[in-house]
Amino acid sequence: MLTVYGDVRSGNCLKVKWLLDRLGHDYRWAETDVMSGRTRSTEFLEMNPAGQVPAVLFGDGRALAQSNAIIGYLGEGTAYVPADPWDRAKMYEWLFWEQYSHEPYIAVVRFQRAFLGKPASEIEPRLMERGEAALARMEAALTQADWLVGDGPTLADLALVAYTRWAHEGGFDLGSFPAIRRWIGRVEAAFGIS
């Protein structure tokens, strides 16, 4: 059995949980509060030198970190990873973009507002601007199609819904992104997310 070290407040951790649940895998969830310092303990750093969650420890002792690497591994051979090489590459394009151009803005602002209690006036304007740009890019893509890649849900949809559905907690108004709002509902239904 595998063990997932994760913080349920983290979209990066939840995307791993949601995929495991959807695929019907048995696993143990080890709640790991990132604000407690536990991820900086010697024991944790021996398993995951990056000191981050999520991290998955497999029954054979191997560990894997980084949410999109984990879901990529777990999703192999499922309908959530396109068989077509081009579509699979486009899925990975969205996964890389999510961690570089979406999560650093949407998730970071959410963390600062919802968990650190910072008022809007203390949020760096550039974070808000880049978060809005990320949402605009998604809106443009989802105005043209129901899913980010192909004709059904992929890991790209799962990865991007994790923080997009909570964007309002960072002060991002999804009211001006109707295609995103409809897509969130489709992704939640496809992966059984409540």
Side-chain angles (χ1 to χ4, degrees):
M1 177 175 300
L2 56 88
T3 299
V4 179
Y5 294 86
D7 187 323
V8 294
R9 298 170 297 186
S10 164
N12 284 328
C13 296
L14 286 176
K15 63 179 107 161
V16 173
K17 182 181 186 325
W18 293 332
L19 183 60
L20 286 166
D21 290 344
R22 190 63 176 168
L23 296 175
H25 285 288
D26 287 331
Y27 65 95
R28 184 176 76 84
W29 182 269
E31 183 62 23
T32 309
D33 180 351
V34 297
M35 297 177 79
S36 72
R38 176 143 185 257
T39 60
R40 298 295 176 200
S41 70
T42 302
E43 177 187 15
F44 192 89
L45 290 170
E46 285 175 358
M47 177 191 59
N48 178 12
Q52 299 170 321
V53 290
V56 175
L57 184 62
F58 292 87
D60 62 6
R62 294 180 300 162
L64 185 61
Q66 299 300 320
S67 61
N68 289 345
I70 295 166
I71 66 172
Y73 177 79
L74 296 171
E76 278 296 320
T78 72
Y80 303 122
V81 176
D84 176 76
W86 178 258
D87 285 348
R88 190 168 53 254
K90 294 302 281 184
M91 179 196 75
Y92 280 112
E93 179 182 325
W94 279 109
L95 290 175
F96 298 141
W97 179 83
E98 184 258 346
Q99 285 292 293
Y100 187 77
S101 299
H102 180 281
E103 190 266 358
Y105 310 110
I106 305 293
V108 168
V109 173
R110 173 186 177 246
F111 181 78
Q112 290 181 9
R113 296 282 310 272
F115 299 106
L116 299 182
K118 286 188 177 182
S121 61
E122 290 184 20
I123 302 300
E124 185 181 341
R126 182 181 64 86
L127 294 175
M128 294 302 293
E129 291 166 10
R130 292 197 176 169
E132 290 288 339
L135 293 171
R137 178 168 186 232
M138 290 177 64
E139 180 73 11
L142 293 165
T143 299
Q144 303 298 316
D146 287 342
W147 306 100
L148 293 171
V149 178
D151 296 327
T154 69
L155 298 181
D157 299 290
L158 177 66
L160 277 152
V161 84
Y163 284 112
T164 303
R165 69 196 292 259
W166 288 329
H168 65 280
E169 292 182 5
F172 296 98
D173 180 11
L174 293 181
S176 55
F177 300 105
I180 288 177
R181 289 195 326 274
R182 290 188 299 271
W183 166 83
I184 289 170
R186 285 191 299 274
V187 178
E188 288 174 339
F191 286 94
I193 300 168
S194 57

